[in-house]
Amino acid sequence: AFPKENAPRQYTGKDLATFAEKNQMRARSRNPEETAAKIYGIFVEEQLMAAEETILETKYPEFARLLKEFRDGNLLYELMSKKVWNKAMEDTAGLKAFYNENQGKYQWKDRVSAYLFTFADAAAANNQREKAAKATPEELANMEIDAKANKASGYKVESGVFEKGQKDLLNHIEWKKGLSENIDNPDGTVSFVVMTELMSAAPKKLEEARGYVIADYQGKLEADWVKELRNKYGVKVNKEVQESLYRKK
């Protein structure tokens, strides 16, 4: 049976004529009677499908449940975007205030600005040690460029600012400016490091920790929102349903 609001509607000849005018190319034939029959068949099929769609939730309870979950999920997504995710990224004043209140969480460890050289063997490393030791920062950068551009150079260079513990190679040498001793790697290659600047542990600026701060701020906004909802709307547990779930287990 159809719900009252979805009761079958009646169609007139005018409805069919309007449909035929808009859809005649879908059933075009040399025989006018055959064309009319096809148009009528398409019309009936589409109206039946449309009518079926109106009663899917009544006819199929499982479909109704899934559709409700889908609608609720979309609603929750929209609310989370508005109240939490987008707000955390757009609320610059709130984000800055949150960062200032929790600045101790966002800290750099000891860091070093360095060039990490790796060679096929000790002889190759020793051939470049003196050049690397005397090189200016600009010359060190050029050596890195040359190593990456010319595979025949026989060595690799990696540069950057590295935190304590970030690079295993840096764990085996003393942290001081200048050229390190040679380091024998497990794969048989040999490395040395040129440290250009040492930086002590320090707070990260908001720009440097922005991704972490936004994620934490989103967590705070969500917790505050849930608390507000709990205060505004009481939570009642349906004991009968709860016990039925235990019995099913």
Side-chain angles (χ1 to χ4, degrees):
F2 287 88
K4 186 175 181 180
E5 65 274 14
N6 294 324
R9 58 164 291 191
Q10 292 183 339
Y11 295 91
T12 65
K14 183 178 180 182
D15 294 326
L16 179 58
T18 301
F19 181 85
E21 184 178 354
K22 293 180 179 180
N23 296 273
Q24 56 183 316
M25 296 302 296
R26 296 169 63 185
R28 193 169 184 179
S29 172
R30 294 181 180 180
N31 186 328
E33 292 183 358
E34 184 177 338
T35 299
K38 287 183 177 180
I39 284 288
Y40 179 74
I42 295 172
F43 176 76
V44 170
E45 181 179 356
E46 291 194 1
Q47 305 320 309
L48 287 173
M49 290 292 292
E52 179 73 6
E53 288 179 3
T54 66
I55 61 170
L56 285 176
E57 293 179 65
T58 304
K59 191 173 181 180
Y60 304 103
E62 182 66 15
F63 172 78
R65 183 183 66 79
L66 292 174
L67 188 60
K68 183 178 184 302
E69 288 183 2
F70 177 75
R71 288 169 178 162
D72 291 347
N74 278 345
L75 178 60
L76 179 60
Y77 178 85
E78 291 297 325
L79 286 170
M80 289 291 287
S81 295
K82 180 180 179 180
K83 296 283 189 178
V84 178
W85 301 325
N86 292 344
K87 184 176 180 180
M89 291 184 285
E90 296 169 359
D91 181 14
T92 54
L95 185 68
K96 186 174 182 179
F98 177 81
Y99 162 77
N100 290 334
E101 293 171 4
N102 298 275
Q103 192 171 357
K105 291 179 61 178
Y106 311 107
Q107 298 283 320
W108 288 116
K109 300 177 183 177
D110 289 340
R111 291 172 294 160
V112 62
S113 177
Y115 288 83
L116 284 58
F117 290 77
T118 300
F119 301 84
D121 51 44
N126 291 332
N127 285 337
Q128 294 290 335
R129 282 185 62 83
E130 185 176 353
K131 180 179 179 181
K134 296 179 179 179
T136 64
E138 183 179 355
E139 289 170 339
L140 287 168
N142 288 334
M143 290 178 72
E144 180 180 13
I145 293 171
D146 291 342
K148 290 179 177 178
N150 182 13
K151 293 183 179 180
S153 63
Y155 65 94
K156 299 178 182 179
V157 184
E158 180 184 2
S159 67
V161 176
F162 307 100
E163 279 191 291
K164 202 80 172 179
Q166 183 178 350
K167 284 287 182 181
D168 183 66
L169 186 62
L170 296 174
N171 296 334
H172 301 288
I173 58 175
E174 182 183 356
W175 279 37
K176 62 180 182 179
K177 289 184 68 172
L179 180 67
S180 76
E181 67 274 13
N182 283 354
I183 305 127
D184 295 323
N185 299 311
D187 63 358
T189 60
V190 175
S191 298
F192 60 70
V193 176
V194 179
M195 297 187 181
T196 58
E197 183 181 1
L198 300 178
M199 290 160 275
S200 299
K204 293 182 180 180
K205 297 177 181 178
L206 176 57
E207 297 75 25
E208 295 171 325
R210 188 175 183 82
Y212 297 103
V213 179
I214 287 177
D216 291 343
Y217 188 41
Q218 286 175 339
K220 178 185 182 301
L221 290 174
E222 183 176 356
D224 290 347
W225 181 41
V226 171
K227 183 178 179 180
E228 177 187 340
L229 291 175
R230 287 185 178 277
N231 292 335
K232 189 174 182 179
Y233 304 102
V235 177
K236 295 182 179 179
V237 178
N238 188 318
K239 294 294 184 180
E240 184 177 345
V241 174
Q242 184 183 44
E243 290 174 3
S244 70
L245 292 174
Y246 292 150
R247 288 195 295 270
K248 287 179 181 179
K249 289 182 180 180

